[in-house]
Amino acid sequence: MITTLEEALKRIAELEDENVKLKAELESYRGRKFAGRQKHDAIWRESYNDFVIKFEGGMTIMEIVAEGRISRRTAYRYKAYYDELCKLKNRRESGAE
């Protein structure tokens, strides 16, 4: 318990410093995206490319998932993305001929 004015002022200063630190930490969290689909950044591309190499190498989706690096849902999402890219590639090749 605070007994003197000096102790009270000291405690107020400590709390103000703590408040400044907490506000700075809060600001760092405001711009972050914690859930939902992420942009296709370097980590995403690396994971996707790893999936494609394994899938084109003959592994099934469930074998890829069993390795534990991606979830089943992510594997199916990558497969859908892969299929769309293949369709686009085939359209371009057939249209160019």
Side-chain angles (χ1 to χ4, degrees), residues 18-36:
E18 182 180 353
N19 195 23
V20 168
K21 291 176 187 175
L22 290 172
K23 282 183 180 181
E25 183 179 352
L26 179 62
E27 277 303 311
S28 71
Y29 287 115
R30 285 185 193 219
R32 293 173 94 180
K33 184 177 179 183
F34 290 102

Side-chain angles (χ1 to χ4, degrees), residues 20-87:
V20 168
K21 291 176 187 175
L22 290 172
K23 282 183 180 181
E25 183 179 352
L26 179 62
E27 277 303 311
S28 71
Y29 287 115
R30 285 185 193 219
R32 293 173 94 180
K33 184 177 179 183
F34 290 102
R37 295 192 68 185
Q38 304 296 314
K39 293 181 182 178
H40 294 181
D41 60 4
I43 295 170
W44 184 93
R45 284 191 304 271
E46 181 181 338
S47 177
Y48 172 75
N49 289 336
D50 185 49
F51 167 84
V52 170
I53 289 167
K54 291 174 183 175
F55 187 73
E56 288 180 344
M59 290 180 76
T60 66
I61 289 179
M62 295 316 293
E63 289 171 335
I64 296 169
V65 169
E67 290 183 341
R69 292 188 179 198
I70 60 173
S71 70
R72 189 171 77 180
R73 176 67 188 119
T74 298
Y76 281 106
R77 189 177 295 125
Y78 286 173
K79 174 72 167 69
Y81 187 74
Y82 174 81
D83 290 343
E84 285 298 314
L85 289 179
C86 288
K87 285 180 191 176

